Amino acid sequence: MKRIDSEWPADLLRAHLLRPFSALADFLYPPACSVCGISTGGHRGLCAKCWSGIRFIERPYCEVLGIPFSHDLGAGILSAEAIANPPPFDRLRSAATHDHAVRDLVHGLKYRDRTDLAPMMAGWMLRASDGTVESCDALIPVPLHRTRMLARKFNQAAELARDMARLSGKPLFAATLIRVKRTSQQVGLGAKAREDNVRGAFAIAKGRENDISGKRIVLVDDVYTTGATVAAASRTLRKAGAAEITVLTFARALSEPI
């Protein structure tokens, strides 16, 4: 029998001790694609077909809105949208476009209680963060109103932020930004209706102002569509004295590169 050395690193020792349980788990719950369910070689992965359908958002893109360009126009180039209508945050970064397998992952986490997907999705978001998580002071998830939280039992943005905090070692301020207005579902609303829906929806929790003042914040959400929700949240953070705000989402609605 292999001797377990007391000087082994803690993570290696833990992996050694848990190996029999992992084998049993693989037998009872065989590894499968997180999207379509086909058998795969490991947990929390995608099959080749689903993986090939993901459109990751890579450079070149607008330095503010993260909109991909079809051609490299040089460093620091902004999109026409960012110039004409500057957002209340400093920059937006997203891991992938909101279609095909990515949409299935978002819906799995958000509507089918697949919180087991959050670690994989958070890892992709860290890669897409362009170094902003590494340099930030704290991660803050876009909050749900307490009534919706009771109905859903968890906040998908907070699940993603929690795993990013664990992976990056950055502080997570999950109770600093709160939603004080019960808003309607954004799905199906136009851009103007979305903006009206979330106006005045957010506030800083009493006594948590120092979490924001002078800090570099990464605001976390699952999907960026029109940007109304993160814009409203960013205005609240900016009013509270945030020095820098990066919006980081897993997916964003996007047709084609410009």
Side-chain angles (χ1 to χ4, degrees), residues 66-132:
I67 301 171
F69 294 132
S70 57
H71 302 286
D72 192 348
L73 304 175
I77 297 298
L78 303 184
S79 62
E81 183 180 348
I83 296 171
N85 188 25
F89 46 81
D90 293 281
R91 66 190 63 81
L92 165 70
R93 298 291 182 264
S94 303
T97 59
H98 190 230
D99 52 20
H100 308 302
V102 168
R103 184 186 295 113
D104 289 338
L105 289 170
V106 169
H107 287 182
L109 173 62
K110 191 170 185 176
Y111 301 120
R112 298 195 294 272
D113 299 339
R114 290 290 309 277
T115 53
D116 59 294
L117 297 174
M120 178 181 69
M121 296 165 72
W124 294 4
M125 293 171 73
L126 281 176
R127 177 180 175 274
S129 70
D130 203 17
T132 56

Side-chain angles (χ1 to χ4, degrees), residues 2-5 7-19:
K2 185 180 290 185
R3 181 175 63 90
I4 298 178
D5 195 328
E7 295 183 358
W8 278 14
D11 55 347
L12 187 60
L13 178 61
R14 189 180 302 111
H16 179 86
L17 294 173
L18 293 177
R19 190 176 299 153

